[in-house]
Amino acid sequence: MTPLFGSLAVVGPGLIGSSILRRARETGTLAETLIAADLDPRVLERVNELGIADVTTRDLETAAQADCVMICVPVGAVEYVGKQLLPYMKPGSVLTDVASVRGQLGPRLAAVLPKGVSYVPSHPMAGTEHSGPDAGFSTLFEDRWALLVPPEGSDPHAITLIEELWVRCGARTKILTDDEHDRICAMVSHLPHLLAFTICDTADNLSEEIRAAVLDYAASGFRDFTRIAASDPVMWRDIFIANREALLQTLESFITDTQVMADAIRRGDETAITSRIERGRAIRRTLIENRQA
Amino acid sequence: MTPLFGSLAVVGPGLIGSSILRRARETGTLAETLIAADLDPRVLERVNELGIADVTTRDLETAAQADCVMICVPVGAVEYVGKQLLPYMKPGSVLTDVASVRGQLGPRLAAVLPKGVSYVPSHPMAGTEHSGPDAGFSTLFEDRWALLVPPEGSDPHAITLIEELWVRCGARTKILTDDEHDRICAMVSHLPHLLAFTICDTADNLSEEIRAAVLDYAASGFRDFTRIAASDPVMWRDIFIANREALLQTLESFITDTQVMADAIRRGDETAITSRIERGRAIRRTLIENRQA
């Protein structure tokens, strides 16, 4: 299989970026030359030790010369980095990013595109609670979704290239609008993380004695929540702020639903409680059928 | 190692009960004779096929003849089953149960103890989302806690026997009061389950289109919540009602904490958001040190 691009630059080789590089290295089908760019020299040193890039650089201008440039930095920094890269990108090249909140990011970068350069942002729905170049692995995207959110008027050929890039990473692709994307992610990802962080907080606010006991006896339930609460704080802070509107709206629905459940428990309404629990089971079964569980 | 009891009867060989029987069978250190009792003949047939009991019976009177009788039925049925068993139990024997909510259960059964019979209730903090005799496995309790909640005035020798039973199942033991037990479990187990069921509900209430998308894109976050939401509805309904006071109080603290987080996100207060997320990470690290993660 011919490589998709002559050169591919990953700006920010963390969990996502280094997984792309590993995949590219292992399969040889993404690009002939792999470039990793980062402002932190320790990250680049690690990338060199891992042997997952041909070129490492702190210079964004060098990265911008690639046929495909992927911005894999935290969501709050994507616009800034994109605006640094775009003036140096060459006609016929494609810019993409992996930001997990879209907001006005797409239209804003699309507004400053040089002639002949395409921008096809995407969001791979995959991750772990770990971060940094050591956290990546080449199968991270397998059977996961990569959501493409091309701004209006995007070049269809560039869209096809970015779709194919994700398919070669093992992912399935879907094209969404920014707004659809953000509402869906508030529900499937941002709210669960907010709740996970908060439940740790609630445990932390208990009396010293009960708090110690909670840590001892976390067996089933609590520890499943804390797994996702171990995620990177800066990344999640940025996501929460970037998607605040959709997130706070989803949280409000959730609190209303919680109060309905609390009322049912308070009155001892067995039928109401069971029917709500049954819905959880039904959704779980659908997830298993959809290979997402 | 000499078996702890001459005979051990498990009433309700589901996930917990059949795990005890498997452990007893594999190690030979719990009892010489294993008895499984259940009202459902299909459950007993399955226990026979699995070969994890010497005697299976639908008759509680037969089970009550054992040196140690463990009630492993759902929490809502423990008092009823206990009152059926106790009149037939012999002097020197010990009754225990594995109910995950204590409430007034201990004092109520202690009030009707025949002379010479001891009652040392316990709660193993272990489980999966599966149920029934096929769901059990002999290592379920390894490195988990078994919480003992002996009623006031319990025979110290009987307490030692039940502690030793759990130690031989691989568990660590701790003695708590009923009230401590229920407040701790509301936090570590019942609240997480309530939230997991409710988030499925919130997803289910979305517009048809977004709902379908949520199921497609459940990658990280949502699916971790749904794993625990797949648990047995009747069991959880009973737990929620039995522990409603401690649970609703814990839920109230949680909703308050959620609103504090929501306010921080609304104002874009980066420091407040990050410090709350950091607490989650700290708790996660403690859990790992305590071997509960």
Side-chain angles (χ1 to χ4, degrees):
Chain A
M1 199 185 279
T2 320
L4 199 55
F5 299 105
S7 54
L8 169 70
V10 167
V11 181
L15 169 66
I16 299 291
S18 78
S19 294
I20 299 277
L21 290 172
R22 283 180 173 85
R23 184 83 182 190
R25 189 57 109 201
E26 260 182 49
T27 64
T29 60
L30 300 190
E32 277 158 36
T33 307
L34 300 175
I35 302 152
D38 205 283
L39 294 178
D40 186 342
R42 288 165 305 179
V43 168
L44 296 179
E45 196 184 316
R46 204 55 207 124
V47 168
N48 280 325
E49 284 162 9
L50 293 165
I52 53 178
D54 303 302
V55 179
T56 55
T57 178
R58 292 185 62 190
D59 178 29
L60 289 184
E61 202 177 325
T62 307
Q65 301 302 308
D67 299 310
C68 177
V69 180
M70 292 189 88
I71 307 177
C72 300
V73 303
V75 65
V78 174
E79 185 175 345
Y80 174 78
V81 171
K83 285 180 173 166
Q84 302 283 309
L85 288 161
L86 279 173
Y88 303 103
M89 285 184 68
K90 56 187 188 190
S93 65
V94 189
L95 178 70
T96 184
D97 68 55
V98 297
S100 53
V101 179
R102 307 310 318 178
Q104 292 304 306
L105 190 56
R108 275 189 196 147
L109 284 179
V112 295
L113 277 188
K115 207 170 153 55
V117 175
S118 296
Y119 175 44
V120 182
S122 57
H123 170 209
M125 302 279 289
T128 72
E129 69 272 34
H130 305 295
S131 51
D134 284 292
F137 48 97
S138 65
T139 54
L140 177 61
F141 311 108
E142 270 177 18
D143 269 339
R144 299 295 165 203
W145 287 96
L147 306 180
L148 274 68
V149 280
E152 257 181 82
S154 295
D155 173 23
H157 176 62
I159 297 176
T160 308
L161 281 174
I162 298 301
E163 278 198 289
E164 182 62 20
L165 183 147
W166 285 115
V167 167
R168 292 188 186 191
C169 285
R172 291 173 283 175
T173 61
K174 195 91 144 195
I175 294 178
L176 296 173
T177 67
D178 290 331
D179 182 59
E180 285 170 337
H181 174 278
D182 286 356
R183 280 189 295 147
I184 290 165
C185 291
M187 183 70 233
V188 299
S189 171
H190 308 165
L191 179 66
H193 278 83
L194 187 153
L195 299 178
F197 295 133
T198 307
I199 203 172
C200 288
D201 217 43
T202 304
D204 206 52
N205 289 335
L206 295 172
S207 72
E208 189 56 43
E209 195 182 306
I210 298 282
R211 184 173 168 276
V214 165
L215 292 173
D216 278 347
Y217 310 134
S220 56
F222 190 75
R223 73 195 159 104
D224 288 315
F225 278 59
T226 64
R227 195 190 71 76
I228 67 177
S231 308
D232 183 57
V234 171
M235 182 181 96
W236 280 100
R237 178 199 70 194
D238 289 351
I239 289 173
F240 289 164
I241 293 177
N243 202 22
R244 81 179 93 181
E245 206 177 312
L247 175 59
L248 294 176
Q249 210 176 322
T250 311
L251 174 62
E252 204 174 299
S253 308
F254 174 77
I255 289 182
T256 305
D257 292 336
T258 307
Q259 277 153 349
V260 172
M261 180 64 128
D263 284 343
I265 293 169
R266 199 170 288 118
R267 331 186 275 279
D269 183 340
E270 300 195 345
T271 314
I273 300 169
T274 316
S275 86
R276 293 189 154 246
I277 297 177
E278 289 288 3
R279 288 212 231 176
R281 286 163 69 87
I283 284 192
R284 175 74 186 165
R285 275 193 298 272
T286 315
L287 282 181
I288 290 167
E289 285 157 18
N290 292 8
R291 288 185 298 157
Q292 291 288 317
Chain B
M1 200 185 277
T2 320
L4 199 56
F5 298 105
S7 55
L8 168 69
V10 167
V11 182
L15 168 66
I16 300 291
S18 78
S19 293
I20 299 276
L21 290 171
R22 282 178 174 86
R23 184 83 182 190
R25 189 56 107 201
E26 259 181 50
T27 64
T29 60
L30 300 191
E32 276 158 38
T33 307
L34 301 175
I35 301 153
D38 205 283
L39 294 179
D40 185 342
R42 288 165 306 178
V43 168
L44 296 179
E45 197 185 313
R46 202 56 206 122
V47 167
N48 280 325
E49 284 161 8
L50 292 165
I52 52 178
D54 303 300
V55 178
T56 55
T57 177
R58 292 185 63 190
D59 178 28
L60 288 183
E61 200 176 327
T62 306
Q65 301 302 310
D67 299 310
C68 177
V69 181
M70 292 188 87
I71 307 177
C72 300
V73 303
V75 65
V78 174
E79 185 175 345
Y80 174 78
V81 170
K83 285 181 173 165
Q84 302 283 309
L85 287 161
L86 278 172
Y88 302 103
M89 286 184 67
K90 56 188 189 190
S93 66
V94 189
L95 177 70
T96 184
D97 68 57
V98 297
S100 52
V101 179
R102 306 311 317 178
Q104 292 304 307
L105 189 57
R108 275 191 196 145
L109 284 180
V112 294
L113 278 187
K115 205 169 154 57
V117 176
S118 296
Y119 175 44
V120 182
S122 58
H123 169 209
M125 302 279 288
T128 71
E129 70 272 33
H130 305 294
S131 51
D134 284 291
F137 48 98
S138 65
T139 55
L140 177 63
F141 310 108
E142 269 176 20
D143 269 340
R144 299 295 165 202
W145 287 96
L147 306 179
L148 273 69
V149 279
E152 259 180 81
S154 294
D155 174 24
H157 176 63
I159 296 176
T160 308
L161 281 174
I162 297 301
E163 279 200 288
E164 182 64 19
L165 183 147
W166 286 114
V167 168
R168 292 188 186 190
C169 285
R172 292 171 283 175
T173 61
K174 194 92 145 195
I175 295 178
L176 297 172
T177 67
D178 290 331
D179 182 59
E180 286 169 334
H181 174 278
D182 285 356
R183 281 189 296 148
I184 291 165
C185 291
M187 183 70 233
V188 299
S189 170
H190 308 165
L191 178 65
H193 277 83
L194 186 152
L195 299 179
F197 294 133
T198 306
I199 203 171
C200 290
D201 218 42
T202 304
D204 206 52
N205 288 335
L206 296 172
S207 72
E208 189 54 45
E209 195 182 308
I210 299 282
R211 184 175 169 274
V214 165
L215 293 173
D216 278 346
Y217 311 134
S220 55
F222 190 74
R223 72 195 159 106
D224 288 315
F225 277 60
T226 65
R227 195 190 71 76
I228 67 176
S231 309
D232 183 57
V234 171
M235 183 180 96
W236 280 100
R237 179 199 70 195
D238 288 351
I239 289 173
F240 289 164
I241 294 177
N243 201 23
R244 79 179 95 183
E245 206 177 313
L247 174 59
L248 293 176
Q249 210 176 321
T250 311
L251 175 63
E252 205 174 301
S253 308
F254 174 77
I255 289 182
T256 305
D257 292 335
T258 306
Q259 277 153 349
V260 173
M261 180 63 128
D263 285 343
I265 293 170
R266 199 170 287 118
R267 339 183 270 278
D269 183 341
E270 300 194 346
T271 315
I273 300 169
T274 317
S275 87
R276 292 190 155 246
I277 296 178
E278 289 289 3
R279 288 211 231 176
R281 286 163 69 86
I283 284 191
R284 175 73 188 168
R285 276 192 297 273
T286 316
L287 281 182
I288 289 167
E289 286 158 17
N290 293 7
R291 287 185 298 158
Q292 290 289 316

